[in-house]
Amino acid sequence: MSSPTSIISYDHATSWDISASSTGTSPITLHQLIQLLPPLLHSQNTKLQQLSIQERIHFDTTIRGTDADPVNQLFGRVDLTKDEWRKYAFFDGKKNYTRNLIATDDETFTLLLLCWNAGRESPIHDHVSFVFVLLECCSPMPLLSVM
């Protein structure tokens, strides 16, 4: 029997401009991520509102979700220890997975820990404006297979 899988996800409305407080390459903690995220997103939302439709489309199709995306850069710096995220990991055996709230500012982001029960699955589907980080997986099957 395989172990449960936990995935941390972050739903972001928009992102782009790098603020001075979020730049850098050194590792950050979960607490630091939660502190840096709202001002970064507020700044980016303001900038995106000033762009033309064509500029927004360019951002969505060429920058969002890439290494040029400051949100991805910020998440790439997060160094999570098992102790740091385990306190949010709750499983409900009656469901495929449990969505556990880590943090939200009720405006620009919601940070969740998704805890999948062993042997459970969902159809392949899309999440627009999400960043996913796989924290732990013990599965004999590949997470995704393309045919």
Side-chain angles (χ1 to χ4, degrees), residues 73-127:
Q73 293 172 12
L74 192 60
F75 266 84
R77 294 175 50 208
V78 177
D79 184 22
L80 290 175
T81 66
K82 213 177 238 193
D83 289 338
E84 199 170 15
W85 62 264
R86 280 275 191 198
K87 62 185 169 187
Y88 301 101
F90 298 99
F91 294 84
D92 181 345
K94 298 177 202 123
K95 299 179 180 180
N96 286 345
Y97 66 93
T98 308
R99 296 166 47 108
N100 299 296
L101 179 66
I102 296 174
T104 185
D105 68 354
D106 292 318
E107 187 178 336
T108 55
F109 81 97
T110 301
L111 189 62
L112 301 170
L113 180 68
L114 304 181
C115 297
W116 284 84
N117 287 305
R120 302 290 180 92
E121 59 186 38
S122 70
I124 295 175
H125 56 282
D126 189 16
H127 291 273

Side-chain angles (χ1 to χ4, degrees), residues 39-52:
L40 173 64
L41 293 173
H42 284 288
S43 167
Q44 292 165 359
N45 286 340
T46 300
K47 179 167 177 129
L48 280 173
Q49 290 172 359
Q50 298 168 357
L51 298 179
S52 70

